[in-house]
Amino acid sequence: MKANKRDVLTGAHFIDGDHAAGEGAIAAGCKFVAGYPITPSTEIVERIAARFPLVGGMFIQMEDEIASSIAIQGAVWAGKKSMTVTSGPGFSLMMEHIGFAAITETPCVFINVQRGGPSTGLPTLPAQADMMQARWGSHGDYETIAIVPNSPQECFDLTIRAFNLAEEYRVPVLVMMDECVGHMTEKVVIPEADKIEIVERKFTKKSPGEYRLYDTNGTMFPEMVKAGDGYRIHLTGLTHDEKGYPAMSPKVQQKMLRRLVDKILTNEEKLRHIEEDQIDDADIVVVSYGITSRVVLPAIKKARKEGLKVGHVRLVTVWPFPEPYIRELAKKVDAFVVPELNLGQIVHEVERCAAGNAETKLVPHAGGAVHAPEDIYDAIKGVVVHA
Amino acid sequence: MLDQNAVETEIPEKENPVESLLRMDRMPHIWCPGCGIGTTVNCFARALEQSKLDLDSVSIVSGIGCTGRVAGYLNLDSFHTTHGRAIPFATGLKLANPNLKVVVYSGDGDLFAIGGNHFIHAARRNVDMTVICVNNLIYGMTGGQVAPTTPVTAKGTTYPYGSYDPPFNLPYLADSSGAVYVARWTTYHVRHATKAIKEALARRGFSFVEIISPCPTLYSRRNRLGDGLDQMNFYKENSVIKNGADTKDVGMDFQGKITVGKFVDRERKTYRQLMNEHLTNVFGEQYTPYEG
Amino acid sequence: MKKVQGTVVIKADRCKGCAFCVDFCPTDALQLSDQYNAKGYRLPELFEPEKCTGCDLCGLYCPDFAIHGFIIKKVA
């Protein structure tokens, strides 16, 4: 399925990441956005609010982020593609509804333009400190998909991808931007509508009599319906059986939860989205994501110039974490250097997967700015390379 | 006795009208003996039947709590959401598909404590939905804690010596927030409540029906008010019907008189009407209305 | 002269013995019986069947969907 021509602002634009993400959502066929103002994400909903009257979308500024994050799910069950947008404090308020989307398998998109925290923290300055919250923020076990753009162009591209993945995997997809990417202005090329691949919702063809809300038909993914079509569904945030009815038993919990988790984890390789650079001969690999993946480039270049065999792995999909990939890589290299705009989050995943086969070194930064490339260079230099 | 000479018409047995609206595979329900929630469901079922709405177009949205379970028992598109968030879910559902008839059915704690902010904003915006609040003056599901509706001096587990936390007057709150229809009845007033729900369903905009209902297990027992039937008889003896009463005068005291009736019935443009009118003025032919 | 004859259907397994139906029956046709269901709840019975008008107020009150009334005969 291709994007609708009316929704796509084809051409070369000079816009920031927030505006690009808004255009990405519109191009992806998003027709319902609920949001609440919060720096540094507000420009995304402002873009949506300005554009929706011209493309037949429904935007509502809700009373808070809690309301926004559940209103979008109401819209999904009315048959629409929906999104909400926020930053740290609002992301914290949305956590319960990420869990609700996960357990009810409601396809929707959450964009978090990360800023320094905790609490009100640094409203106008960047951080990458919500990465573990994206993974574990709501209570209980569940899996989502989190993708991390590093440029305005990617804010456009990956927001479309987020909508597509949400439909395909029946999960909330989190686009983990940061203040730098959100407010950085660069050239963004929006292609022709017929060059944009859109995954449409998979509505069931079964009759109301045959249909069951969580029947996966031998796959891992149930088919969707929408309110008003006569299916008389029951959707609940309680543990539920195949019919969608509450069922409070360890057996039902095990079956439901296992599939919610496995539908993502067993597809990790398919979902894997990484960029490798100079890996083949590398002794040291810098693992980065988001804005930091751009900051590391001069450091790697400088180290290479000095003869150090340094490579780079950029994680675009951070959750599910590319565990088998890092495990294998750890057997070939001496060390991972992990710069993050936090005091250590994804580094724990890298270290766990390295499993002692490679040294893992964090380059922390409390946020408020990006790393100085020298700090990353120094960390590379400090690694002991085994002959 | 029937007149022996008159012509008699035999009428076949009739189903309980609530049954066609229930998910019978989920019965019996979880509500306690003497709880009034099931009674309100009867009223709702009959109101819906009389309203002649296409049941496939009716969605019911609940939050969490005893009344929150209503969604799970009704054979409609039904959404049992998170605690306090039925109204914003319903807002998304209704705005995204304007052809749906959206009903929020939840309890006083869910709608007015954790969900209070959403209630006033949906009323302010006049989102087209009917909110039915079963007000049992207590948190039932969690075991009898005070609610924002618990009358002062009534006991709950979290105010064991009696509450001193001033409660909301729900019709006043709904009225002042902009609801187009506001009524209060008790589970004793089943025919009035049925009519009120029917009227609320017929209104375009944010309509609100409060139904005072017994919680024998957690409210009546702790406050030594007897069982469900005693509470029903209390409503019978102490309710005062005042249609058109000023909502600021209908607050409730512990075991005091209960003012019931239809308090508000007015017209206001809905959120969607306001949006379409305004944006048409701004954009003219360029405006592309949301199609739903 | 009464114009209608009604009756009720009681689904004993659903009853929780609240007695709303008995107390609010407008013609006092119902009373609590000596019968208990499997859960131990005391059931109502149509004690004076000829008094029932099939008004279904019992059905409207019953929180457990265990009783409802309807008209079985009408006099033309």
Side-chain angles (χ1 to χ4, degrees), chain B residues 68-79:
Chain B
R69 292 302 186 93
V70 167
Y73 296 132
L74 291 178
N75 189 21
L76 300 166
D77 282 324
S78 55
F79 302 92

Side-chain angles (χ1 to χ4, degrees), chain B residues 2 14 26 56 67 73 79 81 98 106 118 125 130 146 156-157 166-167 180-182 215 234 251-252 289:
Chain B
L2 290 168
K14 207 179 141 206
R26 295 214 60 219
D56 283 344
T67 311
Y73 296 132
F79 302 92
T81 65
S106 215
H118 310 307
R125 295 183 182 111
T130 296
V146 306
T157 59
V180 296
Y181 182 93
V182 180
C215 174
F234 176 80
M252 287 168 60

